[in-house]
Short mmCIF file of all heavy atoms in Angstrom, two decimals:
data_model
loop_
_atom_site.label_atom_id
_atom_site.label_comp_id
_atom_site.label_asym_id
_atom_site.label_seq_id
_atom_site.Cartn_x
_atom_site.Cartn_y
_atom_site.Cartn_z
N ASN A 8 13.72 -1.58 -4.87
CA ASN A 8 12.63 -1.39 -3.93
C ASN A 8 12.22 0.10 -3.81
O ASN A 8 13.00 0.97 -4.24
CB ASN A 8 12.98 -1.90 -2.54
CG ASN A 8 13.39 -3.36 -2.54
OD1 ASN A 8 12.55 -4.25 -2.65
ND2 ASN A 8 14.66 -3.65 -2.50
N THR A 9 11.08 0.34 -3.19
CA THR A 9 10.73 1.71 -2.86
C THR A 9 10.68 1.77 -1.29
O THR A 9 9.86 1.03 -0.69
CB THR A 9 9.38 2.14 -3.50
OG1 THR A 9 9.55 2.00 -4.91
CG2 THR A 9 9.06 3.57 -3.13
N ILE A 10 11.53 2.58 -0.72
CA ILE A 10 11.80 2.49 0.74
C ILE A 10 11.51 3.84 1.40
O ILE A 10 12.03 4.87 0.94
CB ILE A 10 13.27 2.08 0.96
CG1 ILE A 10 13.55 0.75 0.18
CG2 ILE A 10 13.59 1.92 2.42
CD1 ILE A 10 15.05 0.32 0.22
N LEU A 11 10.75 3.78 2.49
CA LEU A 11 10.46 5.01 3.26
C LEU A 11 11.29 4.92 4.54
O LEU A 11 11.21 3.97 5.33
CB LEU A 11 8.95 5.04 3.59
CG LEU A 11 8.50 6.18 4.56
CD1 LEU A 11 8.78 7.56 3.99
CD2 LEU A 11 7.00 6.02 4.78
N VAL A 12 12.11 5.92 4.77
CA VAL A 12 13.05 6.02 5.94
C VAL A 12 12.57 7.19 6.77
O VAL A 12 12.70 8.36 6.38
CB VAL A 12 14.49 6.24 5.49
CG1 VAL A 12 15.44 6.25 6.76
CG2 VAL A 12 14.98 5.17 4.51
N THR A 33 14.49 3.33 -4.76
CA THR A 33 13.89 4.62 -4.71
C THR A 33 13.72 4.87 -3.18
O THR A 33 13.20 4.01 -2.45
CB THR A 33 12.49 4.65 -5.38
OG1 THR A 33 12.70 4.36 -6.74
CG2 THR A 33 11.77 5.96 -5.20
N VAL A 34 14.20 6.02 -2.70
CA VAL A 34 14.19 6.28 -1.26
C VAL A 34 13.48 7.56 -0.94
O VAL A 34 13.78 8.60 -1.52
CB VAL A 34 15.57 6.27 -0.67
CG1 VAL A 34 15.59 6.65 0.81
CG2 VAL A 34 16.30 4.93 -0.88
N ILE A 35 12.56 7.49 0.00
CA ILE A 35 11.91 8.69 0.50
C ILE A 35 12.32 8.84 1.99
O ILE A 35 12.25 7.90 2.73
CB ILE A 35 10.31 8.51 0.48
CG1 ILE A 35 9.91 8.01 -0.90
CG2 ILE A 35 9.62 9.74 0.90
CD1 ILE A 35 9.07 6.73 -0.90
N LEU A 70 1.25 11.85 5.58
CA LEU A 70 2.44 11.19 5.02
C LEU A 70 1.97 9.90 4.27
O LEU A 70 2.36 9.62 3.12
CB LEU A 70 3.43 10.79 6.12
CG LEU A 70 4.61 9.97 5.67
CD1 LEU A 70 5.57 10.78 4.93
CD2 LEU A 70 5.33 9.30 6.94
N HIS A 71 1.09 9.17 4.90
CA HIS A 71 0.57 7.96 4.31
C HIS A 71 -0.15 8.23 2.98
O HIS A 71 0.11 7.59 1.96
CB HIS A 71 -0.37 7.27 5.34
CG HIS A 71 -1.09 6.06 4.79
ND1 HIS A 71 -2.39 6.05 4.41
CD2 HIS A 71 -0.61 4.84 4.59
CE1 HIS A 71 -2.70 4.83 3.96
NE2 HIS A 71 -1.63 4.03 4.05
N VAL A 74 2.50 9.32 0.32
CA VAL A 74 3.38 8.24 -0.15
C VAL A 74 2.67 7.18 -1.01
O VAL A 74 3.14 6.82 -2.04
CB VAL A 74 4.08 7.54 1.07
CG1 VAL A 74 4.83 6.34 0.68
CG2 VAL A 74 5.03 8.53 1.78
N ILE A 75 1.43 6.83 -0.56
CA ILE A 75 0.71 5.85 -1.34
C ILE A 75 0.32 6.39 -2.68
O ILE A 75 0.37 5.68 -3.74
CB ILE A 75 -0.57 5.42 -0.55
CG1 ILE A 75 -0.20 4.80 0.82
CG2 ILE A 75 -1.43 4.46 -1.35
CD1 ILE A 75 0.65 3.63 0.76
N GLU A 77 1.98 8.99 -4.39
CA GLU A 77 3.11 9.32 -5.21
C GLU A 77 4.09 8.15 -5.44
O GLU A 77 4.86 8.15 -6.39
CB GLU A 77 3.90 10.50 -4.65
CG GLU A 77 3.06 11.84 -4.72
CD GLU A 77 3.70 12.95 -3.94
OE1 GLU A 77 4.96 12.99 -3.80
OE2 GLU A 77 2.99 13.84 -3.46
N PHE A 78 4.07 7.22 -4.48
CA PHE A 78 5.01 6.13 -4.54
C PHE A 78 4.24 4.77 -4.31
O PHE A 78 4.48 4.09 -3.30
CB PHE A 78 6.16 6.26 -3.47
CG PHE A 78 6.87 7.52 -3.63
CD1 PHE A 78 6.50 8.63 -2.89
CD2 PHE A 78 7.95 7.68 -4.53
CE1 PHE A 78 7.19 9.85 -3.00
CE2 PHE A 78 8.60 8.89 -4.67
CZ PHE A 78 8.24 9.98 -3.92
N PRO A 79 3.32 4.41 -5.21
CA PRO A 79 2.52 3.20 -4.95
C PRO A 79 3.33 1.92 -4.85
O PRO A 79 2.83 0.92 -4.43
CB PRO A 79 1.52 3.20 -6.16
CG PRO A 79 2.13 4.09 -7.21
CD PRO A 79 2.99 5.11 -6.47
N ASP A 80 4.60 1.99 -5.32
CA ASP A 80 5.41 0.72 -5.26
C ASP A 80 6.08 0.54 -3.91
O ASP A 80 6.82 -0.42 -3.70
CB ASP A 80 6.50 0.78 -6.35
CG ASP A 80 5.92 0.64 -7.73
OD1 ASP A 80 4.83 0.02 -7.85
OD2 ASP A 80 6.59 1.12 -8.72
N LEU A 81 5.82 1.52 -2.97
CA LEU A 81 6.43 1.35 -1.62
C LEU A 81 6.32 -0.08 -1.10
O LEU A 81 5.20 -0.59 -1.01
CB LEU A 81 5.77 2.35 -0.70
CG LEU A 81 6.32 2.25 0.78
CD1 LEU A 81 7.53 3.07 0.98
CD2 LEU A 81 5.23 2.60 1.77
N ASN A 82 7.43 -0.62 -0.74
CA ASN A 82 7.38 -2.00 -0.15
C ASN A 82 8.26 -2.16 1.10
O ASN A 82 8.20 -3.28 1.68
CB ASN A 82 7.75 -3.04 -1.22
CG ASN A 82 9.16 -2.96 -1.71
OD1 ASN A 82 9.70 -1.85 -1.78
ND2 ASN A 82 9.78 -4.05 -2.04
N ILE A 83 8.97 -1.15 1.48
CA ILE A 83 9.87 -1.29 2.69
C ILE A 83 9.71 0.00 3.57
O ILE A 83 9.79 1.11 3.00
CB ILE A 83 11.34 -1.53 2.34
CG1 ILE A 83 11.51 -2.81 1.49
CG2 ILE A 83 12.20 -1.60 3.60
CD1 ILE A 83 12.91 -3.14 1.10
N ILE A 84 9.60 -0.20 4.84
CA ILE A 84 9.55 0.92 5.79
C ILE A 84 10.72 0.73 6.79
O ILE A 84 10.87 -0.33 7.42
CB ILE A 84 8.19 1.00 6.53
CG1 ILE A 84 7.12 1.43 5.53
CG2 ILE A 84 8.28 1.88 7.74
CD1 ILE A 84 5.82 1.46 6.14
N LEU A 85 11.48 1.78 6.95
CA LEU A 85 12.54 1.74 8.00
C LEU A 85 12.15 2.75 9.07
O LEU A 85 12.17 3.99 8.83
CB LEU A 85 13.93 2.16 7.38
CG LEU A 85 14.53 1.38 6.25
CD1 LEU A 85 15.97 1.75 6.04
CD2 LEU A 85 14.41 -0.12 6.48
N MET A 119 3.24 3.88 12.52
CA MET A 119 3.64 3.71 11.11
C MET A 119 3.28 2.32 10.58
O MET A 119 2.74 2.22 9.47
CB MET A 119 5.17 3.88 10.99
CG MET A 119 5.71 5.27 11.09
SD MET A 119 5.32 6.25 9.57
CE MET A 119 6.36 5.49 8.36
N PHE A 123 0.63 1.66 7.55
CA PHE A 123 1.12 1.20 6.28
C PHE A 123 0.92 -0.32 5.98
O PHE A 123 1.13 -0.82 4.95
CB PHE A 123 2.60 1.49 6.07
CG PHE A 123 2.85 2.99 5.74
CD1 PHE A 123 3.08 3.96 6.73
CD2 PHE A 123 2.80 3.41 4.35
CE1 PHE A 123 3.27 5.27 6.38
CE2 PHE A 123 3.00 4.78 4.05
CZ PHE A 123 3.23 5.70 5.04
N LEU A 124 0.45 -1.03 7.03
CA LEU A 124 0.36 -2.52 6.95
C LEU A 124 -0.56 -2.97 5.78
O LEU A 124 -0.16 -3.85 5.02
CB LEU A 124 -0.09 -3.09 8.32
CG LEU A 124 0.14 -4.55 8.53
CD1 LEU A 124 1.53 -4.97 8.32
CD2 LEU A 124 -0.35 -4.97 9.92
N HIS A 126 -1.17 -1.62 2.99
CA HIS A 126 -0.44 -1.42 1.76
C HIS A 126 0.69 -2.44 1.58
O HIS A 126 0.81 -3.05 0.51
CB HIS A 126 0.14 -0.01 1.65
CG HIS A 126 0.94 0.28 0.45
ND1 HIS A 126 0.37 0.55 -0.79
CD2 HIS A 126 2.29 0.21 0.28
CE1 HIS A 126 1.32 0.70 -1.66
NE2 HIS A 126 2.46 0.46 -1.07
N LEU A 127 1.46 -2.60 2.61
CA LEU A 127 2.57 -3.61 2.54
C LEU A 127 2.08 -5.04 2.21
O LEU A 127 2.79 -5.77 1.53
CB LEU A 127 3.39 -3.62 3.82
CG LEU A 127 4.18 -2.29 4.12
CD1 LEU A 127 4.93 -2.44 5.45
CD2 LEU A 127 5.09 -1.85 3.05
N LYS A 128 0.89 -5.31 2.75
CA LYS A 128 0.36 -6.66 2.46
C LYS A 128 0.06 -6.88 0.98
O LYS A 128 -0.06 -8.03 0.56
CB LYS A 128 -0.91 -6.90 3.28
CG LYS A 128 -0.66 -7.23 4.75
CD LYS A 128 -1.96 -7.57 5.39
CE LYS A 128 -1.74 -7.86 6.88
NZ LYS A 128 -3.02 -8.03 7.57
N THR A 129 -0.08 -5.83 0.20
CA THR A 129 -0.37 -5.99 -1.25
C THR A 129 0.89 -6.27 -2.00
O THR A 129 0.80 -6.56 -3.21
CB THR A 129 -1.07 -4.73 -1.80
OG1 THR A 129 -0.15 -3.65 -1.75
CG2 THR A 129 -2.29 -4.32 -1.01
N LYS A 130 2.04 -6.18 -1.41
CA LYS A 130 3.32 -6.33 -2.10
C LYS A 130 3.84 -7.80 -1.97
O LYS A 130 3.66 -8.40 -0.91
CB LYS A 130 4.36 -5.38 -1.56
CG LYS A 130 3.92 -3.95 -1.68
CD LYS A 130 3.82 -3.48 -3.10
CE LYS A 130 2.98 -2.21 -3.19
NZ LYS A 130 2.62 -1.88 -4.59
N THR A 131 4.47 -8.31 -3.02
CA THR A 131 4.96 -9.68 -2.97
C THR A 131 6.22 -9.82 -2.06
O THR A 131 6.43 -10.79 -1.42
CB THR A 131 5.30 -10.23 -4.34
OG1 THR A 131 6.11 -9.25 -5.00
CG2 THR A 131 4.06 -10.52 -5.14
N ASN A 132 6.96 -8.71 -1.95
CA ASN A 132 8.19 -8.73 -1.20
C ASN A 132 8.26 -7.46 -0.37
O ASN A 132 8.47 -6.38 -0.93
CB ASN A 132 9.41 -8.76 -2.18
CG ASN A 132 10.73 -8.91 -1.50
OD1 ASN A 132 10.84 -9.54 -0.43
ND2 ASN A 132 11.78 -8.31 -2.13
N ALA A 133 7.98 -7.54 0.89
CA ALA A 133 7.90 -6.34 1.72
C ALA A 133 8.69 -6.53 2.99
O ALA A 133 9.00 -7.64 3.40
CB ALA A 133 6.46 -6.03 2.05
N ALA A 134 9.02 -5.39 3.65
CA ALA A 134 9.80 -5.47 4.91
C ALA A 134 9.53 -4.22 5.77
O ALA A 134 9.19 -3.18 5.29
CB ALA A 134 11.24 -5.58 4.64
#
Side-chain angles (χ1 to χ4, degrees):
N8 300 286
T9 302
I10 304 174
L11 174 59
V12 182
T33 299
V34 176
I35 310 127
L70 177 73
H71 175 255
V74 171
I75 300 301
E77 293 172 28
F78 304 94
D80 292 335
L81 176 85
N82 64 327
I83 300 180
I84 287 178
L85 302 193
M119 283 289 291
F123 283 92
L124 197 54
H126 176 82
L127 293 181
K128 280 187 181 171
T129 67
K130 302 296 163 192
T131 47
N132 183 33

